[in-house]
Amino acid sequence: MSEETTPGADEQPIGDPKKSSLLKSSAVMAVGTTLSRGLGFLRTALLLAALGAAGANDAFNVANTLPNAVFNLLAAGLLDAILVPQIVRAFKTKSGSTYVNRLLTLAGLILFVLTIAMVAAAGLLVNLTAGLMSPGWKSLAIVFAIWCLPQIFFYGIYSLLGQFLNARGIFGPYMWMPVANNVIAIIGLIIFIAVYGTASDVNDPSVWDFQRTALMAGPATLGVMAQALLLIIPLRRAGVKLRLDFHFRGTGLGKASKIAGWVFATLIVGQVGYLSTSNIAAAANAWSAESGIFAASTAAMGITFTVYMLPQSIISVSIATALFTRIASAAADGNQREMVRNYQLGIRSSLLLTMWLAAILGAAAIPIFQILGPTNPMEHMAAYADALVIMLPGLAGAVVILFSQRVFYSLEDGRPVFYTVLLPTIGQIILGWTLKIFFLPPVLWLAGALVAETISRIAQGLIATSLVKKRLPGAKPSVVIGDMLRYGALAVVSGLVGAGVLHFIGPFHIADSVTMRVIGGIARGAIVAVVVTIVYVTLLALFDRANFTRALGMAGTRIPPLRRFAPQPGAEVQRNRPEDPQG
């Protein structure tokens, strides 16, 4: 991109992103994400109450997951890979604002055309993701999909505007706007239950007329619309001026697509892995509909994934989003040492906290699903809990993948990301279908597919950190793998202790009252969380004293009772010297 080819010579460089501490930036995002995820839990609980654990819930989950799946395949990765590095670089030049407006205009046009095409292809998409589903529920899923697929455009607008704010170092609004999405969806579900009651006749596909379908799916799409459009407010307050600019030629936009082919290939591979799992889940749905025996299937996959993503959404994504602009800015300046420092700092910080939350979720899985589905049979919720426990070890690999991808995107190199996912995903597909066809009964088909996914995520993390070493010689894969093993081991031990305590007091609270079941589940979950936390922190202090002290020091700057642990200014400078990759 050259100034000669881009109008706006009178513009001034906007400069580097807004600077703020990693703790402050990630904390702001984590609080917003936590509130959003808390509302998401309420939304999931209402969905289980309205639709039950299978049948109609399977159909709705297929449809409401499609916009995310399509967006992740065709747009999300490209936005991450291209927009943030390009915006950070552009804002260092006089023509940065012009360049960004043209980039956003082009991306918006592509999203609009893509959305129209996907709505027209709703039937094809449902057959791709749930082709083995029972015919009645598959037909309903197609109807739901027509209502839900317009979300693709608004997910895109949300990401476009959010990435613009992130590139300027403004992180809070992007993480807080999903709260509006969940509030609108919750209101819609409450109205649905008030009109049609809790899961009664919803498991007969023939009862789903236009009014019932619209009341279930309409608020879901309306919530995504609000989530996107409300970002305009913080953009205006930040003084950001956006305008449509259709002058795409001669602006250097070709450079923005330099890595698009590799990123797109990576996303295709990832979505093939998702399609494998979703079709195994759909086969379990068809078997359950035919036999009358419950089997965890599509709804279990979608709802369990929502719970599984909680640690990554609150911790890893918040830290990665705060660090991505730093890594991209360091890459633009050719500062590999700073890239390595932020890369390994992000992984260690994320693993320490993510694996702690994973241990709590694993040990308290049964109370969690009793809270979410108190009106559903205990054996159904136990199957959901088993699925969650199977998935949780994959979080360690997911953390490493997340930060490794951001290194490669900052370097505008999508090839290593593709190689990271290729072989593990092929292995996932082979293992998942082998377990289904030859070894497992139908009630465990989904469990087998999730085992394959978890192994694949861990393998991807190991491959990713070795590939980072090739681009950044100062990076240390042994340090990253050591962190994965260390914090994974702490999580397993503390989770087992918590599960033992839960087994002693009884995993399910037996009561006739739905309210008492929820209260009993909350009490059990709280007990497990306290036990796991005590064990995890104790083990951390015994086996990782340096990072235990550092974590207390960071907390001590924010929490008065812990201030005596806070490091002295001189020690902080020494610990964060540029040549120390652990930061």
Side-chain angles (χ1 to χ4, degrees), residues 139 273 309 358 362 399 488 537:
S139 296
M309 283 297 295
V399 167
V537 171

Side-chain angles (χ1 to χ4, degrees), residues 189 324 378 399 463 522 570:
L189 286 167
F324 190 18
M378 288 187 294
V399 167
I463 294 171
I522 292 173

Side-chain angles (χ1 to χ4, degrees), residues 65 91 141 227 229 369 439 525-526:
T65 302
F91 281 164
Q227 171 180 299
L229 299 180
F369 284 105
F439 295 102

Side-chain angles (χ1 to χ4, degrees), residues 85-293:
Q86 289 296 324
I87 291 172
V88 169
R89 284 173 169 80
F91 281 164
K92 294 176 182 288
T93 71
K94 291 183 178 181
S95 55
S97 293
T98 299
Y99 177 82
V100 166
N101 277 313
R102 293 179 178 181
L103 191 62
L104 297 181
T105 301
L106 178 60
L109 283 174
I110 293 172
L111 280 167
F112 182 76
V113 174
L114 170 66
T115 301
I116 298 298
M118 292 302 102
V119 172
L124 175 62
L125 293 174
V126 169
N127 275 289
L128 281 173
T129 55
L132 300 178
M133 181 174 275
S134 171
W137 294 125
K138 185 162 66 175
S139 296
L140 179 60
I142 293 172
V143 176
F144 277 138
I146 293 172
W147 281 94
C148 294
L149 283 168
Q151 296 172 20
I152 295 171
F153 177 76
F154 294 101
Y155 275 130
I157 296 300
Y158 168 72
S159 290
L160 286 168
L161 301 182
Q163 296 289 19
F164 191 97
L165 286 169
N166 287 347
R168 299 303 314 130
I170 303 171
F171 304 107
Y174 189 45
M175 295 299 185
W176 278 84
M177 288 309 165
V179 170
N181 180 2
N182 279 315
V183 167
I184 292 172
I186 286 168
I187 292 172
L189 286 167
I190 291 173
I191 295 172
F192 183 92
I193 292 172
V195 173
Y196 295 106
T198 55
S200 52
D201 61 346
V202 294
N203 284 318
D204 176 4
S206 65
V207 306
W208 284 88
D209 54 15
F210 175 83
Q211 290 81 3
R212 188 178 297 217
T213 304
L215 188 54
M216 174 55 62
T221 297
L222 185 62
V224 179
M225 292 174 60
Q227 171 180 299
L229 299 180
L230 285 173
L231 272 184
I232 295 174
I233 297 173
L235 280 168
R236 287 182 174 176
R237 288 179 177 174
V240 176
K241 297 180 180 179
L242 294 178
R243 59 184 176 82
L244 295 177
D245 190 334
F246 297 93
H247 300 86
F248 304 136
R249 295 181 62 86
T251 61
L253 284 176
K255 184 179 179 182
S257 61
K258 176 182 176 182
I259 65 171
W262 285 108
V263 175
F264 187 66
T266 302
L267 295 170
I268 288 177
V269 172
Q271 289 303 307
V272 170
Y274 163 76
L275 290 175
S276 173
T277 302
S278 67
N279 275 285
I280 291 174
N285 164 277
W287 178 86
S288 183
E290 183 178 345
S291 66
I293 301 173

